[in-house]
Amino acid sequence: MERKEMLDKLKGKLTEKRYIHSIGVEYTAACLAMRYRADIQKARLAGLLHDCAKCLPTDEKLKKCEKLGLPINKSERLNPDLLHGKLGAYFARNKYNVTDTEILDAICYHTTGRPEMTLMDKIIFVADYIEPNRKMIRDLTEIREEAFVDIDKAIIHILKNTLEYLGDKTDIIDEMTEKTYIYYMNAAKQ
Ligand code: DGI
Ligand code: FE
Ligand code: FE
């Protein structure tokens, strides 16, 4: 599918704000791919589509995943918005005709990360957080710089801040978010 067709489709599925964010992630992912010598076109595609399922109503995310037989864990059941990565990967494959596993995985894991992320996973995880349209949050200036110096350091910084923020806000922390943080903290010590 051509980019133009994807943009038209996305525009119908996303709010204006989310659409602008998606294009921001597309180009930020491309920049990170240049820096780390990943496939620039793949990074763009993953970035553009990463939130394609984000704007479905919360209960529809759950219903759709159930209907499709996608696995749903405890925290996803309590907070079905967490499913937008998994469901986004499904939509990317089935509605946007993306077949590349690297792209689909990067979309799937973009919210929580995962231990042993691929370079593409890392690029999308970080691009999502630092893209230029994001509202300023704590340490964002520093994390943007780290992203282009040491991407693993940026990942740890992002997860630390997300877990701290969620700790104040909710008790639903996805085990994958925690596992990813522990994995990269330990990896940094080696
Ligand atoms: O979809 P975006 O807003 O662009 O970014 P995202 O996919 O990273 O989602 C961000 C939201 O997800 C943010 O409100 C924090 C939340 N989040 C990330 N990890 C967890 C989580 N929420 C819960 N409840 N548990 C998590 O482990
Ligand atoms: Fe997202
Ligand atoms: Fe996003």
Side-chain angles (χ1 to χ4, degrees):
M1 195 185 279
E2 293 218 18
R3 180 169 182 274
K4 179 75 176 67
E5 198 183 336
M6 287 191 184
L7 288 176
D8 287 346
K9 202 177 181 102
L10 273 179
K11 207 167 209 160
K13 301 288 178 191
L14 302 178
T15 61
E16 171 85 6
K17 194 170 160 238
R18 185 63 49 184
Y19 179 74
I20 290 167
H21 162 70
S22 298
I23 294 170
V25 176
E26 177 190 15
Y27 285 111
T28 304
C31 293
L32 288 167
M34 291 173 200
R35 162 66 180 85
Y36 294 104
R37 300 189 186 188
D39 187 311
I40 295 168
Q41 297 310 326
K42 282 193 196 185
R44 283 185 65 180
L45 195 46
L48 183 63
L49 295 179
H50 81 287
D51 272 339
C52 68
K54 177 88 176 183
C55 295
L56 245 67
T58 305
D59 57 318
E60 294 235 352
K61 289 188 183 92
L62 190 57
K63 269 196 259 169
K64 268 242 151 61
C65 284
E66 279 175 338
K67 203 175 130 200
L68 293 166
L70 298 175
I72 304 163
N73 69 27
K74 258 182 274 166
S75 44
E76 289 165 340
R77 200 164 286 284
L78 291 165
N79 181 4
D81 287 325
L82 284 168
L83 289 165
H84 78 274
K86 225 175 252 183
L87 198 54
Y90 176 87
F91 286 167
R93 183 189 281 280
N94 293 285
K95 295 178 191 280
Y96 296 86
N97 300 327
V98 175
T99 54
D100 187 278
T101 309
E102 257 189 295
I103 297 174
L104 297 173
D105 280 347
I107 296 173
C108 185
Y109 296 105
H110 84 264
T111 302
T112 60
R114 59 171 167 168
E116 298 184 78
M117 281 190 270
T118 65
L119 178 55
M120 195 58 65
D121 291 351
K122 291 179 185 181
I123 284 173
I124 300 306
F125 182 82
V126 171
D128 188 24
Y129 201 85
I130 67 169
E131 67 92 5
N133 306 294
R134 275 278 187 220
K135 75 167 202 288
M136 275 317 276
I137 39 181
R138 186 158 51 93
D139 300 345
L140 189 52
T141 305
E142 201 184 333
I143 292 169
R144 279 177 170 150
E145 186 176 319
E146 284 166 0
F148 289 91
V149 177
D150 179 345
I151 199 165
D152 286 5
K153 196 170 169 191
I155 287 167
I156 292 170
H157 204 157
I158 291 168
L159 287 164
K160 180 172 175 282
N161 285 15
T162 299
L163 286 167
E164 263 174 35
Y165 163 80
L166 289 170
D168 295 337
K169 219 181 76 132
T170 169
D171 47 7
I172 309 165
I173 296 194
D174 194 281
E175 62 173 29
M176 195 64 98
T177 310
E178 235 151 17
K179 275 188 190 165
T180 309
Y181 181 59
I182 291 165
Y183 178 89
Y184 282 97
M185 281 294 277
N186 285 328
K189 281 188 220 139
Q190 306 305 313

